[in-house]
Amino acid sequence: MTSRGAGTAFSRRNYRLSTESEKPKLTGIVNSKLLNDYLHRIFPSADGIQPATAYRKPLTFQNLQEHLDKLLAEDSGAEDSRDQVLEGRLGPSTVVLDHTSGFEGLLLVDDDLLGVIGHSNFGSIRATTCVYKGKWIYEVLISSQGLMQIGWCTLNCRFNQEEGVGDTLDSYAYDGNRVRKWNVTTTNYGKSWAAGDIVSCLIDLDEGTIAFCLNGVSLGTAFDNITRGAGMAYFPAISLSFKESVAFNFGSRPLRYPVEGYRPLQDPPSVDLVKAHKLLGYLKNVIHIGIDVLEGKLVEKDTSTWQLQGEPTVLITLTHIFNHFAPLMCKVYLVDDVLMHFLLSILERGGAVEAHPLIQQLLDLMWLLMEDYEVHECLKQLLMSLLRAYRFSPIIPDLGLQIHYLRLTIAVLKHEKSRKYLLNNVLFDVLRSVVFFYIKSPLRVEEAGLQELIPTTWWPNRFTKEGKESKEVKEESAEERLRRRAYDRGCQRLKKRIEVVEELQVQILKLLLNNKDRGGGEASRYIFLNKFRRFLQENASNRGNLTVLCPPEYMVCFLHRLISTLRCYWDGHKAKAPAALSSEEAYVPPQLFYNGKVDYFDLQRLGGLLSHLKKTLKDDLALKANILIDPAELQAVTMDDLDEDEETATSTAQRPVAALAIGGALARPSWLSSPTLGRANRFLSTAAVSLMNPRRPLGTLEKMKARTLSVEQRTEDDIEGSHGNEGLLLGRPPEEPEQSITENSLLEILDGIVMMYNLSVHQQLGKMVGVSDDVNEYALALKDTEEKISRCPKRRRDIYEELVKSQKVFSEKLNHLSRRLAWINVTIYSKEKMQDIYWLLRVCIRTIEHGDRTGSLFAFMPEFYLSVAMNSYSALKNYFSPVHSMEELPGYEETLTHLAAILAKHFADSRIVGTDIRDSLMQALASYVCYPHSLRAVERIPEEQRISMMRNLLAPYEQRPWAQTNWILVRLWRGCGFGYRYTRLPHLLKTKPEDANLPSLQKPCPSTLLQQHMANLLRSDCDMAPSFLNSVLNQLNWAFSEFIGMIQEIQQAAERLERNFVDSRQLKVCATCFDLSVSLLRVLEMTVTLAPEIFLDWSRPSSELLLRRLAQLLNQVLNRVTAERNLFDRVVNLRLPGLESVDHYPILVAVTGILVRLLMDTDFQGAKRATAVLLADPCFQLRSIQYLLGHAEPSALAAMPPSADKRHFSLHTLLQREDVLEMQWPGGMCSCMALSTSPYAQTPTTSAWRSWPRWSGC
């Protein structure tokens, strides 16, 4: 406004007043009498008593400003006297954190100096103002629930990286993480806090006490008789560990939980507050009172339908109000206390947000009558207050508070001009807008009202003591059935209430993704796209720096809301364009990965670095995609790569250790775990602030991307395309169909969703399973306790009482956990969330399949697509069960088959060069073949792909990760080998596994189909078999030799007289070498069984050599393992933790299986050759074969003390009962070898050989 209070010269803009054309209206100002009545009604006197008309001073627009100034100044004198410096407080009137000298350690502080993040072991910081008399309060908004100590300290307190607030004499603190209070010593106090809680810190210096409140509930007096007197003043202070974060409210905003008698450290702006409330009252009067120009009278109006319809009198009146109101609405306290509560009151009448157009009208007025900078600041503070209120509101059963704040957020964002401003400048740049899509999980279910919502609790009792799901279907008792049904009904009630919140969150995203609001500039969707891409870049580029990342729990909720919104818009486009694909058929076309329209930052591609791919595949790009790469551009990319490397090396060398920890925090990281919900711009370090070198800003990365548009440069045409420009779909390869998919902007959002899942969503899904695991653990403990109670003798009353106490504790814990699990199942593991992840899996599968068809251009695909395909399947299989089964999903079998085809083809794809992604593919395939349903999917893929997979698995082991390959072959054989039907080793059956769901602990499920492919390949390819088997024998020789060397060191360490400990890492490596040796022996057994002619048909090249090498290794293993009281025997008897799997059984049974196949389960000529080769080996000893049957060496028996109770190894006692035929094999083999080694040995006749039992295979 050019002049405030200068008569009617109110306008700083050219106002255009709209009128209803169909209804004639009088223009101009109303008559003086009606105007006088109207202005007196709008601006009544302070006492509210209207003087008689005859005694009222006439009001016109010429004297209105004077009248308004007088009204606003009536209470200012009293308020001014009340705002004098209050006794008992020292320091600035505006209280903030002391970022100049009042801190210790490394800290990140927000721009407003009220939010702080720990960036060292235990940093501390205090406020700028202290108190020495009176009663005072401040609030702390907890953003993370980790280790923090919050309270008060004096100026003399000295803190360090080990001691913080509460650890020194004159400092006092509350720690909700450990539920304790601290003042040099510590005792139990209070309740545990969680992210989203508010801690109130109270100090009474008149009585000498300190107390704390949690979410407005008093925790009681924590300290009394605190030190007072001359020189004793207390500062608010906090100590917090690495990446923990909070925000302080000393009074700059209204206290959420004020306490009577206690004053905030910072006084509220009382004068401005009175003025704001008065002006708001005048504004309400304008809305309530209308002018009937035709009748010449004032009328009451319905506020819900109020509109400014070009009435000059009303407009000029509003201008005078906003002349005073506008500058007040730039202040944080007033926006929070006055404006937000007024807007919330409009929505309190209920109904849809659309039923309250008044908010839209008020926003129109703000843009019309306020300066741009005033509107900008007001909207920013309003969204900040809404976000803070939403995040830190307590959870109540109906989620009413959260719903209230989300509805107002929707109302504000429905205003197009406000929405675009907030998108452009606030939602992703200043605020943590993703908070709006988060539903926090209650840590204390009783405060969240879940006891009323879910009065009856229930938990499953289907787990065995080993932690595995019981296969026995036990009939449910009537009581259990009633409890389960009541629990399910409570969960459904909870689900319906949470769905209301989720629907409001989706409405917010629908507004942000609106692409039809092109009035006054770019549509909202394209602004959102650019901000969303920058958000992804910040999270992808700073994965090593936890403090700048969006918290994963926010990412999970954001991902699900974004999927719902995307699919809504996608199917909406399908309805308008029937030729387009539906969301069920969605995928990301391959040209997005190489045409430079979408920036993937520095994320790894399947074929390596983007600059390398552009140089090596530039001809393919030109031929297939019609994309030309300028040689000069390639040269620029290469030089920029070098510059980046040099800069990184130089800055890393120069940057001190303390600065390296922050990784460029001075460059304004955008995602901080600060509950101020803003950006942290100050890095505090007591060590090396001045030495820090800020990294190159993110924008320079764009120079490295040839033909890549920066986020800020892109327009709607660059995304959607126009006039022959295909936008994001530029460079369509010939393999890609010409069919329209959907709007290009939706494809980029879909690509971003896949990236989000890869960044942190999968990790968070796995983390939240811990609650379900806790329920299972406590349920097992409760079941065990109840069994003990039933068996407890009546005479042992003491034991009985202790067991009952334990039962009560377990029951209470289970009641708590089952309600919390209900919340988590609804918000994270519900059927709808499972369908979202399943949809994402299918999107990735289709994207990979389309990319694969492009041939060499497949190398441009980012690695995270393959990672998300594997991880999302893992999440569906492991995280959502047993609540929901993957088998319930539509197209489940087909999806498994498609994923199996991808794993089978790409684990050895030469286009994929990254070691990590290749290992991940190999591990995923290894896990895939461990489960019957997924193994059958592998068997369903086309025969050509199956044979190709087996050929890749049978490639020589050298120069590649052979352990996983060998593991896959072993899983295909397990269940067919000699004594190889066990799930766990016989000597470990009585112990509980760490994780019963591990792939290695699944029941055997061999694949005869894939075994047949392997046999055919080995028989038909004369070069493959020798190269493969030689590599297996080489690795077996290495693994077993390493194992023997390690157990020698372990034995020597155990025999030393002094007390010593064996390194756990050495034990782990030793056990790994043993397991590798066993698995390699099993692969040899598999080969001998499936294709014995490779060893026994000496007309084949290398067969005799392979047989002799095999016999040599088998004799070596037998001699080392079977000798009485040898090294192996002594180490096994030590039973060291970490060496549980090292035992006679697994390795001797594997060796026996090979010998049986060579000597007993083959034709007569083959058995004869095998026997001759085995006996010809210098290392052969018959006692090793006899050892398998429990025949001890006579010399060892003679040397053994008579009293020794030594149990000898024997296959007869360890083989499973169903292996009756297998139990006959060792005896027959031993007899055969004994006859062959006798001085009077005769070669067994063909008829005798044929009388031996035959092996039946699987």
Side-chain angles (χ1 to χ4, degrees):
M1 299 181 185
T2 56
S3 172
R4 293 195 183 275
T8 58
F10 57 83
S11 178
R12 292 170 290 179
R13 306 172 184 271
N14 293 321
Y15 295 107
R16 185 175 62 188
L17 306 179
S18 61
T19 59
E20 293 184 5
S21 58
E22 70 276 6
K23 184 185 292 185
K25 287 186 178 292
L26 296 177
T27 59
I29 308 300
V30 298
N31 63 69
S32 58
K33 180 179 180 304
L34 187 57
L35 176 63
N36 178 58
D37 292 342
Y38 176 73
L39 293 179
H40 274 289
R41 287 282 301 275
I42 299 299
F43 303 101
S45 60
D47 55 12
I49 302 174
Q50 292 287 352
T53 305
Y55 297 98
R56 284 190 319 204
K57 180 181 178 180
L59 275 180
T60 65
F61 287 129
Q62 279 69 31
N63 62 5
L64 177 58
Q65 188 65 46
E66 178 185 354
H67 176 72
L68 186 54
D69 289 340
K70 182 178 178 182
L71 288 176
L72 295 176
E74 284 179 351
D75 296 327
S76 62
E79 296 295 339
D80 286 340
S81 63
R82 215 179 300 167
D83 275 352
Q84 298 299 317
V85 176
L86 200 67
E87 185 182 6
R89 180 177 59 193
L90 294 174
S93 58
T94 300
V95 186
V96 293
L97 296 173
D98 188 352
H99 66 288
T100 57
S101 60
F103 66 93
E104 172 63 37
L106 277 71
L107 301 162
L108 280 164
V109 179
D110 280 1
D111 288 341
D112 59 5
L113 299 179
L114 292 174
V116 60
I117 303 174
H119 211 280
S120 60
N121 184 44
F122 205 50
S124 303
I125 191 168
R126 65 172 182 263
T128 54
T129 299
C130 62
V131 291
Y132 61 91
K133 183 180 179 181
K135 298 180 179 180
W136 304 92
I137 182 176
Y138 71 92
E139 290 181 342
V140 182
L141 286 67
I142 305 296
S143 180
S144 59
Q145 62 189 49
L147 179 58
M148 295 178 283
Q149 293 174 198
I150 302 171
W152 305 84
C153 75
T154 63
L155 190 63
N156 295 326
C157 293
R158 294 292 178 263
F159 305 128
N160 54 45
Q161 295 291 300
E162 301 296 331
E163 294 183 341
V165 180
D167 297 325
T168 59
L169 187 61
D170 292 323
S171 64
Y172 306 87
Y174 161 51
D175 174 4
N177 176 260
R178 293 172 288 190
V179 197
R180 305 183 76 81
K181 60 181 180 180
W182 297 81
N183 176 234
V184 182
T185 59
T186 178
T187 54
N188 293 332
Y189 173 79
K191 299 179 180 179
S192 60
W193 59 37
D197 287 343
I198 297 179
V199 175
S200 303
C201 304
L202 299 85
I203 186 168
D204 184 348
L205 289 162
D206 298 330
E207 299 294 333
T209 61
I210 290 176
F212 298 91
C213 300
L214 187 62
N215 295 328
V217 179
S218 175
L219 301 178
T221 300
F223 306 99
D224 51 19
N225 295 322
I226 64 172
T227 307
R228 292 171 290 167
M232 296 301 297
Y234 289 90
F235 293 83
I238 185 173
S239 297
L240 64 174
S241 56
F242 179 68
K243 80 174 182 175
E244 304 301 339
S245 56
V246 299
F248 287 84
N249 182 13
F250 300 114
S252 59
R253 294 177 181 270
L255 295 178
R256 178 63 65 89
Y257 303 107
V259 178
E260 185 178 358
Y262 287 81
R263 290 179 61 92
L265 270 75
Q266 180 174 324
D267 288 328
S270 303
V271 174
D272 288 341
L273 199 57
V274 172
K275 288 182 180 180
H277 279 293
K278 284 185 177 181
L279 290 165
L280 181 61
Y282 304 151
L283 178 60
K284 291 179 180 178
N285 291 339
V286 173
I287 295 171
H288 281 85
I289 300 170
I291 303 175
D292 189 337
V293 180
L294 296 177
E295 298 291 333
K297 63 179 182 180
L298 305 180
V299 295
E300 295 288 336
K301 298 185 69 174
D302 182 5
T303 58
S304 63
T305 59
W306 181 85
Q307 289 185 349
L308 180 64
Q309 297 178 336
E311 300 175 356
T313 302
V314 177
L315 180 59
I316 295 173
T317 304
L318 287 169
T319 304
H320 281 83
I321 294 174
F322 273 88
N323 192 37
H324 295 273
F325 196 54
L328 296 177
M329 288 301 99
C330 296
K331 299 183 178 181
V332 176
Y333 195 101
L334 301 179
V335 170
D336 197 315
D337 190 63
V338 179
L339 180 61
M340 186 177 76
H341 284 86
F342 170 56
L343 297 178
L344 287 170
S345 67
I346 296 174
L347 296 174
E348 283 178 352
R349 303 174 188 136
V353 175
E354 292 81 0
H356 304 284
L358 179 58
I359 293 178
Q360 307 297 307
Q361 296 293 317
L362 292 173
L363 289 171
D364 281 337
L365 280 178
M366 291 171 62
W367 283 102
L368 181 69
L369 301 177
M370 294 170 65
E371 292 284 4
D372 283 348
Y373 75 88
E374 293 172 335
V375 183
H376 295 168
E377 184 64 21
C378 180
L379 286 175
K380 185 182 81 171
Q381 295 301 337
L382 176 60
L383 262 289
M384 181 81 79
S385 296
L386 280 172
L387 207 60
R388 181 186 294 252
Y390 174 78
R391 185 181 185 189
F392 292 97
S393 292
I395 297 175
I396 56 179
D398 64 353
L399 298 172
L401 296 174
Q402 285 78 7
I403 291 172
H404 207 37
Y405 297 124
L406 287 175
R407 280 166 51 83
L408 179 54
T409 304
I410 292 171
V412 172
L413 291 177
K414 276 184 172 294
H415 190 266
E416 180 179 329
K417 192 171 184 180
S418 300
R419 176 172 69 249
K420 290 184 178 179
Y421 166 73
L422 292 169
L423 261 174
N424 263 316
N425 303 282
V426 178
L427 288 179
F428 285 91
D429 297 271
V430 178
L431 300 184
R432 304 172 54 117
S433 55
V434 177
V435 173
F436 277 126
F437 311 110
Y438 174 55
I439 301 178
K440 63 182 179 181
S441 176
L443 187 63
R444 299 172 300 276
V445 297
E446 64 278 1
E447 294 178 15
L450 292 185
Q451 288 176 325
E452 294 77 20
L453 203 60
I454 309 176
T456 305
T457 58
W458 173 85
W459 48 87
N461 288 311
R462 61 174 173 278
F463 291 91
T464 64
K465 291 185 178 181
E466 287 75 25
K468 298 198 70 172
E469 197 167 348
S470 176
K471 301 300 180 184
E472 298 179 12
V473 180
K474 296 182 179 179
E475 187 174 350
E476 196 176 37
S477 66
E479 182 183 356
E480 288 179 339
R481 189 181 306 111
L482 289 174
R483 283 183 57 209
R484 178 176 55 80
R485 290 176 178 175
Y487 180 74
D488 290 341
R489 287 194 296 271
C491 292
Q492 287 301 316
R493 288 192 294 268
L494 175 63
K495 183 179 180 181
K496 289 179 180 178
R497 297 182 183 189
I498 288 180
E499 283 176 346
V500 174
V501 177
E502 292 177 344
E503 178 56 34
L504 291 173
Q505 293 169 333
V506 170
Q507 287 185 36
I508 292 176
L509 274 175
K510 286 181 179 178
L511 290 171
L512 299 183
L513 292 182
N514 183 0
N515 66 335
K516 306 301 182 186
D517 55 347
R518 294 184 176 87
E522 200 173 16
S524 298
R525 179 183 296 179
Y526 305 105
I527 305 173
F528 174 86
L529 265 182
N530 295 335
K531 298 297 181 181
F532 180 51
R533 207 71 196 175
R534 179 66 67 186
F535 162 78
L536 294 174
Q537 180 177 3
E538 290 173 345
N539 280 272
S541 302
N542 293 285
R543 297 186 73 176
N545 192 350
L546 299 177
T547 58
V548 301
L549 300 181
C550 172
E553 57 269 26
Y554 295 178
M555 280 280 208
V556 173
C557 296
F558 187 34
L559 176 111
H560 287 296
R561 309 304 173 266
L562 201 52
I563 288 177
S564 299
T565 308
L566 173 71
R567 297 193 66 177
C568 177
Y569 273 111
W570 194 300
D571 291 331
H573 177 75
K574 165 71 175 175
K576 298 176 183 176
L581 297 179
S582 70
S583 63
E584 284 295 334
E585 305 167 290
Y587 71 95
V588 179
Q591 52 265 48
L592 262 69
F593 307 137
Y594 55 73
N595 64 16
K597 295 290 186 177
V598 177
D599 189 359
Y600 288 99
F601 337 124
D602 55 351
L603 295 178
Q604 190 75 6
R605 309 298 182 103
L606 293 178
L609 294 174
L610 179 63
S611 56
H612 168 74
L613 292 174
K614 284 189 172 183
K615 286 185 288 186
T616 56
L617 298 177
K618 63 180 185 297
D619 294 337
D620 291 338
L621 284 172
L623 179 64
K624 294 185 176 183
N626 199 25
I627 293 179
L628 300 177
I629 305 295
D630 186 356
E633 195 173 13
L634 281 177
Q635 181 67 23
V637 170
T638 304
M639 295 305 295
D640 198 50
D641 285 342
L642 293 174
D643 293 342
E644 180 72 16
D645 293 339
E646 291 172 2
E647 187 275 338
T648 303
T650 304
S651 61
T652 302
Q654 293 177 352
R655 194 177 298 133
V657 175
L660 282 175
I662 185 63
L666 293 179
R668 281 186 69 119
S670 67
W671 273 95
L672 301 166
S673 301
S674 166
T676 59
L677 312 171
R679 292 176 174 270
N681 193 27
R682 300 173 188 267
F683 175 64
L684 307 185
S685 169
T686 52
V689 166
S690 61
L691 298 178
M692 289 186 59
N693 299 323
R695 286 184 176 177
R696 180 182 296 184
L698 290 173
T700 58
L701 291 175
E702 291 142 10
K703 297 177 183 177
M704 300 174 60
K705 306 281 193 297
R707 299 176 58 86
T708 297
L709 290 171
S710 70
V711 170
E712 292 79 5
Q713 292 173 337
R714 296 193 311 170
T715 63
E716 180 179 344
D717 289 344
D718 292 320
I719 296 171
E720 299 291 1
S722 63
H723 307 297
N725 172 23
E726 294 182 277
L728 293 183
L729 298 182
L730 176 70
R732 181 179 60 82
E735 298 85 0
E736 187 67 12
E738 296 185 13
Q739 179 186 11
S740 170
I741 303 175
T742 187
E743 296 171 282
N744 292 356
S745 52
L746 299 181
L747 292 174
E748 184 173 341
I749 295 173
L750 177 58
D751 176 77
I753 289 173
V754 178
M755 190 187 301
M756 278 176 59
Y757 186 91
N758 183 65
L759 290 176
S760 58
V761 171
H762 181 74
Q763 175 188 4
Q764 182 66 14
L765 288 177
K767 180 180 177 182
M768 298 307 293
V769 175
V771 178
S772 177
D773 294 340
D774 289 343
V775 170
N776 296 334
E777 290 289 336
Y778 278 101
L780 285 172
L782 178 62
K783 183 179 179 182
D784 185 54
T785 304
E786 289 173 345
E787 290 176 356
K788 290 179 179 177
I789 290 176
S790 64
R791 298 195 306 266
C792 182
K794 294 182 179 180
R795 64 179 182 276
R796 297 306 306 269
R797 191 68 184 172
D798 53 340
I799 297 178
Y800 178 81
E801 290 176 355
E802 291 297 322
L803 288 173
V804 170
K805 288 180 182 178
S806 299
Q807 181 188 30
K808 183 180 179 182
V809 170
F810 292 145
S811 297
E812 291 175 353
K813 190 67 177 178
L814 276 169
N815 288 333
H816 170 87
L817 286 175
S818 63
R819 292 187 176 102
R820 186 161 179 242
L821 183 61
W823 184 284
I824 292 173
N825 285 339
V826 170
T827 55
I828 298 179
Y829 300 119
S830 68
K831 186 175 183 179
E832 292 75 16
K833 308 301 184 298
M834 185 180 191
Q835 289 170 345
D836 284 347
I837 304 301
Y838 181 60
W839 178 79
L840 198 60
L841 167 63
R842 300 180 75 176
V843 165
C844 290
I845 289 175
R846 283 188 289 268
T847 301
I848 294 166
E849 290 174 342
H850 279 263
D852 181 40
R853 295 173 195 151
T854 62
S856 60
L857 298 185
F858 180 60
F860 282 94
M861 179 178 287
E863 286 184 351
F864 64 77
Y865 273 89
L866 281 170
S867 298
V868 172
M870 294 181 285
N871 289 335
S872 56
Y873 167 71
S874 174
L876 291 168
K877 180 168 66 72
N878 298 319
Y879 301 158
F880 287 87
S881 62
V883 180
H884 302 287
S885 172
M886 190 178 176
E887 297 176 4
E888 303 170 359
L889 297 168
Y892 157 76
E893 296 286 347
E894 181 186 0
T895 301
L896 280 189
T897 304
H898 282 284
L899 181 58
I902 288 173
L903 297 177
K905 181 174 183 178
H906 296 300
F907 82 92
D909 193 338
S910 60
R911 295 171 295 180
I912 302 175
V913 300
T915 304
D916 291 342
I917 190 64
R918 290 174 71 93
D919 287 348
S920 297
L921 286 165
M922 183 72 76
Q923 291 169 12
L925 182 59
S927 175
Y928 220 70
V929 299
C930 290
Y931 300 89
H933 56 281
S934 51
L935 178 60
R936 302 300 164 245
V938 175
E939 294 178 340
R940 288 194 300 269
I941 66 177
E943 182 178 0
E944 182 182 352
Q945 293 185 22
R946 295 197 304 267
I947 294 174
S948 176
M949 178 189 75
M950 294 307 299
R951 180 177 288 107
N952 289 324
L953 290 173
L954 295 176
Y957 281 1
E958 286 79 11
Q959 306 301 323
R960 70 190 187 99
W962 59 269
Q964 286 292 345
T965 301
N966 199 77
W967 169 250
I968 294 173
L969 295 174
V970 167
R971 287 302 307 188
L972 298 178
W973 178 244
R974 190 171 185 177
C976 292
F978 181 81
Y980 204 34
R981 292 178 173 83
Y982 56 81
T983 301
R984 299 186 65 207
L985 293 170
H987 68 284
L988 295 179
L989 289 177
K990 294 183 179 180
T991 62
K992 182 179 178 181
E994 293 183 3
D995 185 358
N997 295 316
L998 287 173
S1000 59
L1001 296 179
Q1002 303 309 307
K1003 285 190 174 181
C1005 52
S1007 172
T1008 54
L1009 177 62
L1010 297 179
Q1011 289 175 19
Q1012 190 59 45
H1013 289 325
M1014 177 179 173
N1016 293 337
L1017 285 170
L1018 292 174
R1019 290 192 188 104
S1020 61
D1021 194 331
C1022 294
D1023 295 328
M1024 175 185 289
S1027 60
F1028 169 69
L1029 288 171
N1030 274 314
S1031 66
V1032 173
L1033 292 169
N1034 290 339
Q1035 299 300 340
L1036 175 59
N1037 184 46
W1038 168 82
F1040 191 71
S1041 299
E1042 287 292 315
F1043 168 70
I1044 294 299
M1046 288 183 182
I1047 62 174
Q1048 285 176 346
E1049 295 178 7
I1050 293 171
Q1051 175 64 18
Q1052 291 170 5
E1055 289 178 348
R1056 295 193 189 106
L1057 295 178
E1058 65 273 15
R1059 184 178 179 84
N1060 59 82
F1061 299 93
V1062 182
D1063 187 359
S1064 59
R1065 290 173 298 180
Q1066 185 181 8
L1067 294 174
K1068 185 176 181 180
V1069 173
C1070 179
T1072 301
C1073 287
F1074 179 80
D1075 293 338
L1076 287 174
S1077 301
V1078 173
S1079 64
L1080 288 163
L1081 287 167
R1082 286 298 183 181
V1083 170
L1084 289 171
E1085 179 194 21
M1086 179 183 184
T1087 308
V1088 170
T1089 304
L1090 297 176
E1093 59 269 28
I1094 296 174
F1095 292 94
L1096 302 178
D1097 183 2
W1098 286 6
S1099 63
R1100 297 172 60 96
S1102 305
S1103 290
E1104 183 179 357
L1105 178 61
L1106 288 173
L1107 183 58
R1108 294 187 184 281
R1109 287 199 64 191
L1110 178 61
Q1112 181 184 16
L1113 282 171
L1114 293 179
N1115 282 325
Q1116 178 186 350
V1117 172
L1118 284 172
N1119 292 340
R1120 290 284 189 176
V1121 176
T1122 60
E1124 291 288 347
R1125 296 187 300 157
N1126 68 348
L1127 177 65
F1128 184 88
D1129 207 33
R1130 291 198 297 270
V1131 171
V1132 167
N1133 290 331
L1134 289 175
R1135 296 300 176 194
L1136 296 174
L1139 293 183
E1140 292 86 357
S1141 63
V1142 178
D1143 193 73
H1144 295 82
Y1145 181 81
I1147 195 165
L1148 289 181
V1149 171
V1151 171
T1152 303
I1154 299 173
L1155 293 174
V1156 163
R1157 303 305 182 266
L1158 289 173
L1159 302 176
M1160 311 291 290
D1161 189 28
T1162 185
D1163 58 47
F1164 179 72
Q1165 187 64 31
K1168 183 178 178 182
R1169 287 173 179 169
T1171 303
V1173 170
L1174 198 64
L1175 295 177
D1177 186 78
C1179 297
F1180 175 77
Q1181 297 183 31
L1182 180 60
R1183 64 160 181 81
S1184 298
I1185 305 296
Q1186 295 171 335
Y1187 182 91
L1188 301 175
L1189 301 177
H1191 300 162
E1193 192 176 357
S1195 59
L1197 289 173
M1200 192 178 298
S1203 60
D1205 184 16
K1206 173 71 175 176
R1207 295 186 62 185
H1208 296 285
F1209 175 87
S1210 174
L1211 288 176
H1212 287 297
T1213 60
L1214 292 173
L1215 287 174
Q1216 298 183 18
R1217 293 296 180 187
E1218 61 267 23
D1219 301 330
V1220 177
L1221 179 61
E1222 289 185 356
M1223 297 174 68
Q1224 303 175 23
W1225 284 102
M1229 183 182 65
C1230 187
S1231 301
C1232 175
M1233 299 304 296
L1235 286 173
S1236 300
T1237 56
S1238 170
Y1240 308 100
Q1242 295 182 358
T1243 304
T1245 62
T1246 304
S1247 58
W1249 174 82
R1250 286 176 179 168
S1251 66
W1252 294 337
R1254 307 259 69 80
W1255 173 246
S1256 60
C1258 292

